[in-house]
Amino acid sequence: MEQVFQVDLRGIVDLLSHHLYGSPRVYVRELLQNAVDAMTARRALEPDAPAVVRIETPDITGDGSIRVYDSGIGLTESEVHTFLATIGRSAKRDELGFARHEFLGQFGIGLLSCFMIADEALVVTRSAKGGPTVRWTGYADGRFRVETVEDRTEPGTTVTLLPRSGMEQWVTRTTVADLAALFGGLLPFPVTVDGHSVSESVLPWQAHHPTPDDRQAALARYAEDTFGFVPFASFDLSCAEAGLTGVAFVLPHAANPAARAGHRVYLKRMLLAENLTGLLPDWAFFIRCVVDTGELRPTASREALYENDLLDATREALGARVRDWLVELSTTDPGGLSRFLQVHDMGVKALALHDDDMLRLVDRWLPVETNAGRIPLAEFRRRFGAVRYTPSVEEFRQLAAVSSAQGLGLVNGGYSYLSEIVERLPAIDPDIRVSRLDAAELATHFDLLDPATELALRPFLSIAQRCLDRLDCEVALREFDPPSLGALYLLDRDAAHRAELRATREVVDELWADVLGAFDTGPGPDRPQLLLNYRNPLVRRVCGLADPGLVTTAVEALYSHALLLGQHPLRPIDSALLTKSFVGLLDWAVHDPEEKF
């Protein structure tokens, strides 16, 4: 035998309060929503019908209750049974016309939010279609009573709530006025609390101002009141498909790219969320916006937007508007763009990874670190032609001065997104040549010693190589600029990879050592190189030393200095060598000439 589900209304209210609605404060929003829908429905029948919402707190009612009156279409007795005695029956709402998109309410559960603060809800309503005044009394335990009365003569509805013990703070004048202004401050109908208006008739971004500067100043004040900051700039947003209009505010300070931006979103001018995420693309983390939409679909809690194709299209359209604003700024206010990039370069670089227009903007305007100073990539190409870069800050610091001395331009690609941006440059101009500079390539620009000099220095090189063999490093003599640089430690990618493989093979078992050995192949130097600069006067004197012990100490000191200068990480053996070479040179400097070193 079929049976009907028994519904525990108290359990449903508890479910709503803990899992659907974020706070009891939404009861004000739900009552406003019902009032606005009722007035919208009446205006469809009577275009000149009055439209007003009046809220009276205990300061006016005098009995501790709160009353919400609207001049809407009201309900007949049969509609009271359909709307107020049935939870979520959307089919009947469709038949009565209250599920059309121009109405705020779509789920048929709004009145239940009243039971979050009260055990009893009283609804007195009279329909504009005719019929008697109807009084509906509902209780949190699921009971209700319907009767006809003579309480009112004009169409409309009044909802009265008497808060339960402990919930009185939710019906005080201050709390109700704040909530009514928050949720209904932009409604197109007048809303008053104890006779004081809390609503505006015009959306802030659609208000008329004498001049564009006056409008920008007004929007800046609105942003400060809404978000707590004076924006760097503001610009309009729109998306016809979503029935969306609004305004975007650019943060005046740097923002965390990992933090998702929260926006204030209104649905048909009723506040949906104060801090809604996902409305803009993730890369637009430097934007906060306020928008009103007529077509985006809310979730059942009416505190977020439903993820669907329309929201995806809206997000894409708003992202395109942010990008267009940046492009416009580059042509109308280059100085403003430079100031913006100083604050929000991360967001623009993130966008440039997949947008060619933004890549052109970054190429032309964004200063990047190079061995010729901080200049845009376009200026760098004008000076050096090809774009060479290093993928890490450490490599740049190691090679910047040396490459500059060889006449090679070098870009520091070690900062966020910059290597990827440099590699994308041919997407906007196929003639742009981009390459990664590593140590092995740089060494090809250095001069070899003449054969006679190199032959004479073989004894020195033999001692120096024996010294560095235990450090897993090759030594060579070259001539390069600047002469002030005595030694350069070069570690290219392949050599670093093979060094890591060898180090790992030494600590794993035989099986894994054989496996790793299969990867230890390929051309190029097996070990890092220490290049001694024969143009450096100190290196020339070291090469001329006759004492093998002093040569060893000097080479160790040059090696340690090259590591420090290139900001390479020091292994324990390198740290020990640094101390040893320093003490050895100090000992030599103060030793007794009669003693053997």
Side-chain angles (χ1 to χ4, degrees), residues 140 245 297 308 391 395 407 498 575:
T245 64
R297 178 181 171 188
N308 55 18
E395 285 187 60
R498 283 189 284 270
S575 299

Side-chain angles (χ1 to χ4, degrees), residues 17 44 59 175 200 204 240 250 282 375 387 401 416 424 427 457 466 491 521 543 547 564 580 588 593:
S17 62
D59 290 351
T175 299
E200 301 287 341
V250 182
D282 289 342
I375 56 176
V387 180
S416 297
R424 279 205 71 227
L457 293 176
R466 287 198 302 271
L491 178 64
T521 59
C543 290
D547 188 329
L564 295 175
K580 176 178 176 293
W588 178 85

Side-chain angles (χ1 to χ4, degrees), residues 78-390:
S78 64
E79 290 170 349
V80 165
H81 284 278
T82 300
F83 280 116
L84 305 184
T86 305
I87 299 173
R89 184 176 292 177
S90 60
K92 283 293 184 182
R93 293 177 59 82
D94 292 349
E95 294 172 12
L96 294 171
F98 276 80
R100 301 196 308 272
H101 84 282
E102 64 263 32
F103 293 102
L104 291 167
Q106 302 289 325
F107 300 97
I109 58 177
L111 191 62
L112 291 180
S113 65
C114 296
F115 293 118
M116 296 170 66
I117 69 161
D119 290 325
E120 177 181 327
L122 175 63
V123 179
V124 178
T125 181
R126 184 180 183 90
S127 175
K129 302 173 186 177
T133 300
V134 182
R135 181 163 63 193
W136 177 90
T137 307
Y139 303 92
D141 59 7
R143 295 177 295 116
F144 68 91
R145 183 175 67 251
V146 179
E147 54 192 323
T148 59
V149 295
E150 299 298 332
D151 286 5
R152 61 188 301 161
T153 59
E154 294 296 322
T157 300
T158 301
V159 179
T160 303
L161 304 175
L162 182 64
R164 73 171 65 93
S165 178
M167 304 299 287
E168 294 84 0
Q169 73 273 18
W170 292 107
V171 298
T172 64
R173 174 182 290 178
T174 300
T175 299
V176 173
D178 288 345
L179 292 177
L182 175 66
F183 291 115
L186 297 185
L187 287 173
F189 304 115
V191 178
T192 63
V193 176
D194 291 349
H196 300 284
S197 176
V198 296
S199 61
E200 301 287 341
S201 59
V202 180
L203 294 171
W205 53 90
Q206 293 179 350
H208 174 74
H209 297 280
T211 67
D213 288 342
D214 290 335
R215 181 175 188 267
Q216 288 296 317
L219 290 176
R221 291 191 297 271
Y222 177 67
E224 187 172 18
D225 292 340
T226 304
F227 294 115
F229 64 82
V230 177
F232 173 86
S234 62
F235 55 93
D236 291 327
L237 296 174
S238 65
C239 177
E241 186 178 3
L244 181 147
T245 64
V247 60
F249 299 107
V250 182
L251 289 172
H253 51 74
N256 180 4
R260 302 193 70 187
H263 312 286
R264 178 167 289 204
V265 177
Y266 291 83
L267 179 62
K268 302 180 182 72
R269 301 184 63 161
M270 173 76 77
L271 180 68
L272 182 74
E274 296 177 83
N275 199 34
L276 186 140
T277 59
L279 183 65
L280 295 182
D282 289 342
W283 54 260
F285 57 83
F286 51 87
I287 297 290
R288 298 291 183 272
C289 65
V290 183
V291 300
D292 178 57
T293 177
E295 301 296 334
L296 292 177
R297 178 181 171 188
T299 59
S301 67
R302 292 184 47 79
E303 295 176 351
L305 290 172
Y306 187 77
E307 286 285 345
N308 55 18
D309 292 342
L310 179 57
L311 181 57
D312 290 339
T314 302
R315 186 183 298 120
E316 183 177 345
L318 296 183
R321 178 66 188 101
V322 175
R323 181 202 64 191
D324 291 344
W325 172 76
L326 286 169
V327 174
E328 291 168 8
L329 191 65
S330 69
T331 58
T332 61
D333 186 8
L337 178 64
S338 296
R339 293 191 298 274
F340 169 81
L341 292 177
Q342 290 175 1
V343 179
H344 296 297
D345 64 318
M346 289 288 288
V348 175
K349 288 192 292 186
L351 178 55
L353 294 182
H354 59 267
D355 186 280
D356 288 348
D357 287 338
M358 281 294 95
L359 182 60
R360 293 185 182 91
L361 185 147
V362 167
D363 178 49
R364 181 179 178 185
W365 296 105
L366 183 68
V368 299
E369 185 177 6
T370 76
N371 60 351
R374 290 187 59 83
I375 56 176
L377 290 168
E379 173 64 18
F380 180 88
R381 293 200 309 280
R382 189 185 66 79
R383 296 188 190 183
F384 298 102
V387 180
R388 293 182 176 86
Y389 73 97
T390 61

